[in-house]
Amino acid sequence: MTSSLVRGRPRRVAAQIRVRVAHAVVGAVIGTGWLALPVMTVGAGDPVPVAPDRPVASAAAADQDDTSATDLLMPLVVVGAAGVLAGYGYLRRTRRARTRTTPGLVSTAPPVPTPAESERQARAALVLADDCVRGCKEELPFVADRFGEEAVEPFRHAVRAAETELAAAFAIWGRYEEGVPAEASARRQALVGVVGRCAEAGRRLDSEADAMDRLRGLEEGVDGALAVAERRFRDLTARTAAAHGTASALHDRYGPSAAEPVIGSVEQAKDRLVFATSQLNEARQAADAHDDRRAARHLRAAEGAIAQAGVLVGGVERLAAELREAAGMVPAALTGAEAEIAAARKGDAPVSLTAGELHARLAHADGVLAAVREELTAGPYDPVDALRRIARAVERLEVGRSGVIEAAALLVARSTVGEAEDYVTVHRGAVGAEARTRLSAAIRTLDGGTATVSAKTSGMSLREPPGHSAEADTLAREARDLAERDVRTHGNPYAASAPLPAGLPGAVLGGILLTEDPDAGPPTTFGGPQTRNRLHLH
């Protein structure tokens, strides 16, 4: 099969070859004519009569012999020269053909990226697409608050479609990191699939950007949207003050590890609100000056900060509720675990466990339950962690888990996934692809476990795979650890800078602003990679 590069050979190359062949043919024809000329003139009469018996006659005869020899020699020289030229051209073309893949053609195709370059592209695509989805989800509540859920539904549909594509991309990347597939060409195709899925997610969001602009009409006036943002800001300010008291109560009521996931959350929320205050003031001033584009820019920055402050405060409120629920579930979980241990001792454990393995696991489970009872009596303790230890001790017995143990494991997984999701959201300016991949896997696993538990409580005979919730819990904890590592590595890019606007570093760390410029850069807006920064100033 002829390659596309050979088929695309420029016409001028073929023309040059034809010219060289023509030169050789013409030289051969001329040489042949000169060879035939003496033969054609033999026997012909002299063009000028020569008088006999004169001395000049012998001289003329000698000249005629010399001319005949010259006539025979010159064609031979010309033919030889033509042959030499033709041979030189042939050898030159042959040599060029051996030293180039495609003779006469300089390929314009881009170089094939190395595996390392393709992996970097895939990671960057995952982070960009995930940032776009998160930014869109932050803006939608403000739009729904003003225009209603029905008006926002097309945009929610676009976000859900983008999330589906992104989840598939994360799943492909997760398997790639595990070495699946193993064959080199299949791995290249997997990376192409990751980038393609991310591009499709971005396209879904980009396609709705113009419709969002028409609905909001921010560049024609921000008064209505500004009123919504200011109202949500006031409500969140009150919630932040209450969350401060809630966080303090968590430290007093539960063990140190119980409140650890929200350490610093209230302070970060206040920082986002300080930034929102300055941006709301700037938006109001720009609106009064009829500079609607600048007003829209500051409004969107304020909305992003308010949304993230809500995530931080909501995390404190949710954790308090989960700890209360977990504390109420611990006694029932202990009872359920004792029943599972008794069943294992009666021989309900799987035959895959040897007697020695079963004995060791039963001893471990007894130790876990004893430690939890002691913590429950002594207090304070971490009830979520207590449920985690109980559920995992029973899981290792491989006898199946009762309803209360399943519910306990699900509560733990839901809490851990929520904490990791919140952390990535408010630090997405620094979090890389690895942490996001673990988080995506945890969410997929948790969604499957939630559906299974719901089916069980409805009376359907559907068995959840062992360790389903435990796997989601493990993945979420890994995601949180990796995200925290990324944030520590990122550091503070403004440490040595001149004084900056209040809250700017946090806004950049949270991905609210798309650059680290001191002028605050463009805020993120509903859309994909092509449209999310469209509120930059001209």
Side-chain angles (χ1 to χ4, degrees):
M1 180 176 177
T2 306
S3 70
S4 59
L5 291 178
V6 173
R7 290 196 302 268
R9 175 180 293 177
R11 293 183 178 180
R12 64 176 179 273
V13 176
Q16 292 173 359
I17 294 174
R18 289 194 295 268
V19 169
R20 290 169 180 165
V21 172
H23 288 169
V25 171
V26 170
V29 170
I30 294 174
T32 303
W34 282 4
L35 284 171
L37 183 60
V39 176
M40 295 171 59
T41 57
V42 173
D46 293 334
V48 180
V50 180
D53 301 329
R54 290 190 181 178
V56 74
S58 59
D63 292 339
Q64 187 174 357
D65 292 339
D66 293 340
T67 301
S68 298
T70 302
D71 289 342
L72 291 173
L73 182 60
M74 287 302 295
L76 294 175
V77 173
V78 172
V79 171
V84 169
L85 291 175
Y88 173 77
Y90 171 80
L91 291 175
R92 186 180 179 187
R93 289 194 300 275
T94 302
R95 187 180 300 109
R96 291 167 63 186
R98 291 175 178 172
T99 57
R100 293 194 307 188
T101 303
T102 306
L105 176 63
V106 177
S107 175
T108 59
V112 177
T114 65
E117 292 171 342
S118 297
E119 290 173 2
R120 283 194 294 271
Q121 292 172 3
R123 290 191 191 95
L126 287 167
V127 170
L128 178 58
D130 192 46
D131 282 351
C132 290
V133 169
R134 293 178 185 276
C136 291
K137 292 171 72 175
E138 286 178 351
E139 184 172 356
L140 287 179
F142 294 89
V143 184
D145 199 348
R146 184 180 180 199
F147 298 101
E149 288 294 336
E150 184 176 354
V152 172
E153 180 54 32
F155 305 104
R156 293 197 188 281
H157 177 75
V159 170
R160 287 193 295 269
E163 286 180 312
T164 300
E165 295 290 343
L166 184 57
F170 274 123
I172 297 171
W173 176 252
R175 290 193 297 271
Y176 180 91
E177 286 187 313
E178 295 171 357
V180 179
E183 202 272 328
S185 62
R187 289 179 68 78
R188 287 194 297 270
Q189 288 303 313
L191 294 177
V192 171
V194 170
V195 175
R197 292 277 190 172
C198 292
E200 178 60 17
R203 188 196 67 77
R204 294 293 186 100
L205 300 176
D206 282 326
S207 66
E208 297 294 336
D210 288 342
M212 175 62 78
D213 288 345
R214 289 192 297 271
L215 176 63
R216 301 203 70 182
L218 295 181
E219 295 195 23
E220 285 74 41
V222 300
D223 289 342
L226 195 55
V228 170
E230 289 171 341
R231 183 177 67 252
R232 293 175 70 93
F233 174 85
R234 290 191 296 270
D235 293 343
L236 191 56
T237 301
R239 286 176 57 198
T240 303
H244 180 80
T246 301
S248 298
L250 295 180
H251 286 283
D252 297 336
R253 184 174 182 180
Y254 301 105
S257 63
E260 186 176 346
V262 296
I263 290 177
S265 292
V266 175
E267 288 71 20
Q268 291 184 66
K270 292 178 180 178
D271 183 72
R272 298 293 196 278
L273 291 177
V274 168
F275 180 74
T277 299
S278 65
Q279 295 301 305
L280 289 172
N281 290 336
E282 292 283 353
R284 179 63 70 185
Q285 293 173 9
D288 292 342
H290 305 290
D291 189 348
D292 293 325
R293 184 172 184 82
R294 182 176 291 276
R297 174 189 174 101
H298 289 294
L299 171 67
R300 274 300 303 132
E303 289 176 345
I306 294 169
Q308 291 198 4
V311 170
L312 291 161
V313 171
V316 175
E317 297 168 342
R318 186 184 65 248
L319 179 60
E322 290 168 347
L323 287 170
R324 286 194 300 270
E325 184 181 359
M329 191 181 293
V330 168
L334 286 169
T335 302
E338 289 171 348
E340 298 289 348
I341 292 172
R345 282 199 170 96
K346 290 179 181 179
D348 291 345
V351 295
S352 61
L353 293 179
T354 65
E357 289 173 335
L358 178 59
H359 178 75
R361 295 186 183 190
L362 286 170
H364 172 76
D366 288 335
V368 168
L369 297 190
V372 171
R373 288 192 192 95
E374 183 178 354
E375 292 172 3
L376 195 59
T377 302
Y381 74 108
D382 181 351
V384 171
D385 184 62
L387 290 180
R388 176 183 291 115
R389 287 181 287 152
I390 292 171
R392 296 205 173 181
V394 172
E395 177 191 339
R396 295 182 74 244
L397 299 178
E398 300 182 14
V399 292
R401 296 185 297 190
S402 64
V404 65
I405 300 298
E406 294 284 8
L410 180 59
L411 187 154
V412 170
R414 190 172 62 234
S415 177
T416 311
V417 170
E419 293 162 4
E421 173 74 9
D422 290 350
Y423 189 88
V424 171
T425 295
V426 299
H427 298 89
R428 65 175 182 262
V431 177
E434 190 175 2
R436 299 179 196 232
T437 301
R438 295 288 197 286
L439 177 58
S440 179
I443 292 172
R444 291 195 306 273
T445 305
L446 179 62
D447 288 345
T450 303
T452 304
V453 172
S454 298
K456 286 183 176 181
T457 56
S458 301
M460 296 176 60
S461 115
L462 181 61
R463 181 175 178 81
E464 179 187 5
H468 202 109
S469 297
E471 181 184 0
D473 176 47
T474 300
L475 289 167
R477 295 175 78 182
E478 290 177 356
R480 175 70 182 258
D481 291 342
L482 291 168
E484 290 178 347
R485 182 198 65 184
D486 290 340
V487 172
R488 289 193 299 270
T489 302
H490 182 267
N492 182 4
Y494 303 104
S497 301
L500 298 168
L504 176 61
V508 173
L509 182 63
I512 298 167
L513 303 178
L514 299 180
T515 69
E516 297 180 352
D517 297 334
D519 67 352
T524 184
T525 308
F526 189 98
Q530 303 300 319
T531 57
R532 67 172 185 152
N533 64 343
R534 59 188 179 277
L535 282 181
H536 59 80
L537 294 178
H538 294 301

